[in-house]
Amino acid sequence: VQTCALPISLRDCAGTGTVAGNLTDALAALFGSVAVAIVALITFRDELRARLRQTWPAGVPVLTEAVAMVASYLTAERAQGRIAADADIDTLASTLIGAGHLLFADRAAAPPEAGAVRKMVTTVLAGALPP
């Protein structure tokens, strides 16, 4: 299955490849980076979390930005009819990032196989894709 070639903006991938393929690639790129390591550093540094709260009142910035990126992409796909009109974009985006983070969280082990990431993505999107 052909997917959008990242690192271009995920939103720019709307209408190309498959929704699940684009999200699988985007999550692998996001969590294959230092993003997971940064989350751990933030979690264990009270002073850093306090300073970040001055700018970001909720969430971990890298994950909050990732949710916004995925929500923007899903909104663009919905406008093209590739996501159901009544889909809860914010919940889908948060669920994809949360589940993706859990899949990639164990940095000591090898990253999850692409098939595992795709399975998670297709499961989360199951009710949001038109027949």
Side-chain angles (χ1 to χ4, degrees):
V1 175
Q2 180 71 24
T3 59
C4 184
L6 297 173
I8 70 167
S9 165
L10 178 60
R11 186 177 175 91
D12 291 340
C13 294
T16 67
T18 66
V19 175
N22 292 339
L23 287 166
T24 298
D25 290 348
L27 292 175
L30 171 69
F31 291 115
S33 70
V34 298
V36 174
I38 289 172
V39 170
L41 289 173
I42 293 169
T43 301
F44 291 104
R45 299 279 313 267
D46 293 337
E47 180 182 310
L48 179 57
R49 279 196 324 274
R51 284 189 297 166
L52 287 170
R53 290 284 175 257
Q54 294 171 4
T55 305
W56 296 88
V60 176
V62 69
L63 297 179
T64 303
E65 287 182 2
V67 169
M69 172 188 74
V70 171
S72 175
Y73 168 72
L74 291 172
T75 299
E77 290 288 17
R78 181 172 56 191
Q80 295 189 31
R82 291 171 27 121
I83 294 287
D86 63 347
D88 183 345
I89 298 296
D90 292 332
T91 299
L92 288 171
S94 295
T95 302
L96 286 164
I97 295 302
H101 180 247
L102 290 173
L103 280 175
F104 284 86
D106 187 3
R107 306 260 318 155
E113 293 182 12
V117 179
R118 180 177 296 279
K119 179 180 178 185
M120 178 275 295
V121 169
T122 57
T123 300
V124 171
L125 294 178
L129 297 174

Coordinates of all heavy atoms in Angstrom, one line a residue, residues 74 78 83-95 128:
L74 N -6.7 14.5 10.4 CA -8.0 13.8 10.3 C -9.1 14.8 9.9 O -10.0 14.4 9.1 CB -8.3 13.3 11.7 CG -7.5 12.1 12.1 CD1 -7.8 11.7 13.6 CD2 -7.7 10.9 11.2
R78 N -11.4 14.2 6.7 CA -12.9 14.3 6.8 C -13.5 15.2 5.8 O -14.5 14.9 5.2 CB -13.3 14.7 8.2 CG -14.8 14.8 8.4 CD -15.2 15.1 9.8 NE -14.7 16.3 10.3 CZ -14.7 16.7 11.6 NH1 -15.3 15.9 12.5 NH2 -14.2 17.8 12.0
I83 N -12.9 10.3 6.1 CA -13.2 10.0 7.5 C -14.7 10.4 7.7 O -15.2 11.4 7.1 CB -12.4 10.9 8.5 CG1 -10.9 10.5 8.4 CG2 -12.9 10.9 9.9 CD1 -10.6 9.2 9.1
A84 N -15.5 9.6 8.5 CA -16.9 9.9 8.6 C -17.2 11.3 9.1 O -16.4 11.8 9.9 CB -17.5 8.9 9.6
A85 N -18.2 11.9 8.6 CA -18.6 13.3 8.9 C -18.8 13.5 10.4 O -18.6 14.5 11.0 CB -19.8 13.7 8.1
D86 N -19.3 12.4 11.1 CA -19.6 12.5 12.5 C -18.5 12.0 13.4 O -18.7 11.9 14.6 CB -20.9 11.8 12.8 CG -20.9 10.3 12.6 OD1 -19.9 9.8 11.9 OD2 -21.8 9.6 13.0
A87 N -17.3 11.8 12.9 CA -16.2 11.2 13.7 C -15.8 12.3 14.7 O -15.7 13.5 14.4 CB -15.1 10.9 12.8
D88 N -15.5 11.8 15.9 CA -14.9 12.7 17.0 C -13.4 12.8 16.8 O -12.7 12.0 17.3 CB -15.3 12.1 18.3 CG -14.9 13.0 19.5 OD1 -14.1 13.9 19.3 OD2 -15.3 12.7 20.6
I89 N -13.0 13.8 16.0 CA -11.6 14.0 15.6 C -10.7 14.1 16.9 O -9.6 13.5 16.9 CB -11.5 15.2 14.7 CG1 -12.3 15.0 13.4 CG2 -10.0 15.6 14.4 CD1 -11.8 13.9 12.5
D90 N -11.1 14.9 17.8 CA -10.2 15.2 19.0 C -10.0 13.9 19.8 O -8.9 13.6 20.2 CB -10.8 16.2 19.9 CG -10.8 17.6 19.3 OD1 -9.9 17.9 18.4 OD2 -11.7 18.4 19.6
T91 N -11.0 13.1 19.9 CA -10.9 11.8 20.6 C -10.0 10.8 19.8 O -9.2 10.1 20.4 CB -12.3 11.2 21.0 OG1 -13.0 12.1 21.8 CG2 -12.1 9.8 21.7
L92 N -10.3 10.8 18.5 CA -9.5 9.9 17.7 C -8.0 10.3 17.8 O -7.1 9.4 17.9 CB -9.9 9.9 16.2 CG -11.3 9.3 15.9 CD1 -11.7 9.6 14.5 CD2 -11.1 7.8 16.1
A93 N -7.7 11.6 17.6 CA -6.3 12.0 17.7 C -5.6 11.7 19.0 O -4.5 11.2 19.1 CB -6.2 13.5 17.4
S94 N -6.3 12.0 20.1 CA -5.8 11.7 21.4 C -5.6 10.2 21.6 O -4.5 9.8 22.2 CB -6.7 12.2 22.5 OG -6.8 13.6 22.5
T95 N -6.5 9.4 21.2 CA -6.4 7.9 21.3 C -5.2 7.4 20.5 O -4.5 6.6 21.0 CB -7.7 7.3 20.9 OG1 -8.8 7.8 21.7 CG2 -7.6 5.8 21.0
A128 N -14.6 5.1 12.3 CA -14.5 6.5 11.7 C -14.3 6.4 10.2 O -14.5 7.5 9.5 CB -13.4 7.3 12.3

